[in-house]
Amino acid sequence: MKVPGNIHFAILISILVGSCHTGNNPTDTTTAGNVKIAAAKNFENIIEAQRNTFEAIYTNATINVDYVLSEQLLALLLNDSCKVIVRGSPLSGKEEKVFSSNNIYPISTKIADDAVVIIANKNNPLKNMSITSLKQIVEGKEEVEVVLDNPLSANSTYIKDSLLLGGSFGANVYAMQNEKEVINYISNAPSALGIIALNHISDKDDRKNDTLLSEIKILGISEAKGKTAYKPYPAHIKTKQYPLSRSIYMINRQTRAGLGMGFVSFVAGSKGQLLILKQGLVPSFPPQRIVEINTN
C-alpha cells in the first residue's frame, strides 16, 4: 500500500470516533476505579509495562487502553472519549486553541525520550547515513525501497513533520500493518530500509528482541554528510546527538484528582520512570538513588 498524503487536523477533529467512548465516572480516584485512555500504537510496549505495574500495585484500578493511529488521538481527547492520550508531541499552539475554544485545558507531561530508528538487512553494506540522504530517500529522489508500519502512525507523523515538513512520502515508500511486519520484511530484503520505533526493540530483558536484532541492523545517523554518525543509544538520545530523537507525552484533560491524573502521575513518578529506564529509553525524571556514606 502506498502512503497517502497528510490529513489535516481540522478534518480529524470533525470525525466522531467512538471506539473508546466512556461516560463520566465521578467515583474514580487517583488509585481506584476505571478510566479509558488512548495511545499511539508505536508506544504500546511502554504503556503496557506501565499499566501492568500500576494495576498490580493498585488492585482496585483498571486502566483501559485503546492503541490507535497517531492521527486519531486528538479527536478522541476532544470528544471526551478518553481522558488521557499518549503521543510523540505536546499540543501545538493551534491545537491548544481548538481545545480552549471548547473550554478544555489539557496538561501535557513529558514522560520519556524515544527515537525513530532506520533499520536495514544485516547483509546490507550500509552502516550509516545522513539526515540529508534520508530526506532525499523518503521524498522519492533516490531509488531505495522504504517500508514503515502505517502511513498514519506516530513514526510516520514524526518523519513527515521533521523531514518532509508536513509533505508527502515518495512513491518508493510503502506501508505495512505494524512494526513486526516491517522487521520481517527487512530481514528478507537486502537493499530496503525500514522505519520503526526504538522502544519496539530496546528492552534488553525481552528475549524476543534478541531474535529480532539478529535479523536486522540499526543504522547510525549523522546531521550532515561527513559528520559523525550516532546510534540511538540512551546517551545520544539524551544529548540529541542522535538526530531522530523524539519525546513522548501523556496529555490529560481530567481536571480533578481522578484515575487518569493518577496514572499520569505514576508514569512520571519514580516507579514509572524506572520502568522507562529498564526499557532502554531515557526517562524525563531520572529515578534518584540515595547512597548513605558511613564516615566512621
Side-chain angles (χ1 to χ4, degrees), residues 130-149:
S130 68
I131 283 292
T132 302
S133 295
L134 178 60
K135 182 176 185 294
Q136 291 176 338
I137 289 172
V138 296
E139 285 178 334
K141 295 179 180 178
E142 294 187 21
E143 294 184 3
V144 178
E145 185 180 28
V146 180
V147 292
L148 45 77
D149 56 319

Side-chain angles (χ1 to χ4, degrees), residues 178-252:
N178 52 57
E179 289 169 309
K180 183 178 179 180
E181 287 190 6
V182 173
I183 293 173
N184 289 339
Y185 186 88
I186 293 300
S187 67
N188 293 290
S191 60
L193 298 177
I195 300 174
I196 63 173
L198 174 63
N199 72 76
H200 192 74
I201 54 174
S202 61
D203 190 345
K204 302 302 182 184
D205 293 332
D206 190 340
R207 292 186 176 180
K208 76 174 186 297
N209 287 339
D210 294 334
T211 301
L212 294 176
L213 291 171
S214 69
E215 300 172 349
I216 60 168
K217 62 181 176 181
I218 299 173
L219 300 186
I221 307 293
S222 65
E223 286 285 1
K225 292 181 179 179
K227 298 289 186 179
T228 301
Y230 293 93
K231 292 287 185 73
Y233 301 137
H236 298 157
I237 294 172
K238 179 68 175 177
T239 60
K240 306 299 182 185
Q241 290 174 299
Y242 180 72
L244 299 180
S245 301
R246 67 176 172 193
S247 299
I248 304 174
Y249 291 83
M250 298 184 79
I251 304 173
N252 173 35

Side-chain angles (χ1 to χ4, degrees), residues 18 20-28 34-36 79-83 254 256:
C20 63
H21 179 72
T22 183
N24 292 327
N25 182 6
T27 61
D28 66 306
N34 292 267
V35 72
K36 188 83 78 169
N79 296 333
D80 200 19
S81 297
C82 301
K83 298 300 183 185
Q254 198 168 36
R256 59 184 181 82

